[in-house]
C-alpha cells in the first residue's frame, strides 16, 4: 500500500506544479512572451533526460518517479523566472495556494484516520455505505479550507469595491 501511495502522490505533486506553471505561462503569453513557455518546456525536457535516469540509477523505479516529478519543478522554476522578469507577481500566490493544498490534504487525511475506525466500530453494512460515508466526511473536511478561502477572498473583494 505504501508503494501504491508513493506512486500516485509523487506524480500528483508534479501535476500541481504543472497547474501553477500553466498560470504563469498564460500570463507570459498574454504579455507576448512565448519564449518563456518554450524555455520552460525545454528545461522540463532536460530535467526528464537528466533526472529520470539519475533517479532510476540511484533508487530504481521510485527514483525515476521522483525524477519525473522533479522535471516539473525545473519547468516551474523557469516560468517563475520569466514571470518575475516581466513583473508578474506569482510566487506569493503560488505559495499560498500550495500551503492551502497541503493543509486541506492533511485535514482530509486526518478526517480519514478519524472516521474509518468509527465506521468499522459501527460495522456499517453494506461495506460500500461505509466507504461512501468515509468519502463524504473527507470531502467535507477538505472542502472546508477551500470554502473558507473563498469567503476571505470575497470579503476582500467587497472591501475594495465598497
Amino acid at each position: 500500500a505504501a508503494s501504491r501511495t508513493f506512486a500516485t502522490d509523487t506524480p500528483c505533486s508534479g501535476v500541481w506544479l504543472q497547474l501553477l506553471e500553466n498560470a504563469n505561462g498564460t500570463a507570459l503569453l498574454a504579455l507576448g512572451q512565448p519564449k518563456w513557455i518554450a524555455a520552460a518546456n525545454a528545461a522540463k525536457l532536460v530535467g526528464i533526460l537528466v533526472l529520470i535516469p539519475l533517479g532510476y540509477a540511484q533508487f530504481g523505479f521510485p527514483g525515476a518517479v521522483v525524477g519525473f516529478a522533479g522535471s516539473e519543478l525545473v519547468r516551474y522554476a523557469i516560468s517563475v523566472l520569466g514571470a518575475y522578469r516581466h513583473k508578474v507577481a506569482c510566487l506569493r500566490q503560488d505559495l499560498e495556494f500550495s500551503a492551502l493544498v497541503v493543509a486541506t490534504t492533511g485535514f482530509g487525511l486526518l478526517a480519514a484516520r478519524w472516521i474509518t475506525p468509527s465506521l468499522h466500530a459501527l460495522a456499517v453494512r453494506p461495506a460500500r455505505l461505509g466507504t461512501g460515508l468515509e468519502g463524504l466526511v473527507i470531502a467535507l473536511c477538505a472542502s472546508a479550507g477551500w470554502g473558507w478561502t473563498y469567503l476571505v477572498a470575497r470579503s476582500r473583494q467587497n472591501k475594495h469595491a465598497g
Side-chain angles (χ1 to χ4, degrees), residues 2-157:
S3 64
R4 183 192 66 195
T5 301
F6 173 82
T8 55
D9 290 352
T10 304
C12 285
S13 63
V15 170
W16 176 247
L17 289 170
Q18 186 178 13
L19 290 171
L20 297 176
E21 189 280 328
N22 283 340
N24 297 340
T26 301
L28 290 166
L29 198 57
L31 292 169
Q33 297 296 320
K35 66 182 180 181
W36 283 101
I37 297 169
N41 286 326
K44 179 182 176 176
L45 177 60
V46 170
I48 286 172
L49 294 174
V50 172
L51 297 176
I52 292 176
L54 183 65
Y56 186 79
Q58 294 296 315
F59 304 104
F61 178 73
V65 172
V66 171
F68 179 74
S71 69
E72 285 296 339
L73 183 60
V74 174
R75 179 180 178 200
Y76 172 71
I78 297 299
S79 76
V80 168
L81 178 63
Y84 176 77
R85 290 219 174 148
H86 293 281
K87 297 180 180 24
V88 176
C90 62
L91 198 53
R92 180 177 176 206
Q93 175 179 304
D94 290 353
L95 289 172
E96 288 173 354
F97 276 116
S98 296
L100 183 60
V101 166
V102 169
T104 56
T105 300
F107 195 42
L109 291 173
L110 285 174
R113 291 191 94 177
W114 168 75
I115 192 68
T116 302
S118 301
L119 290 174
H120 288 298
L122 293 173
V124 175
R125 297 282 182 235
R128 285 186 272 177
L129 178 61
T131 304
L133 288 172
E134 181 181 358
L136 178 64
V137 168
I138 293 168
L140 289 172
C141 289
S143 297
W146 293 101
W148 175 79
T149 302
Y150 169 77
L151 292 174
V152 168
R154 181 91 183 242
S155 172
R156 287 180 186 165
Q157 186 179 32

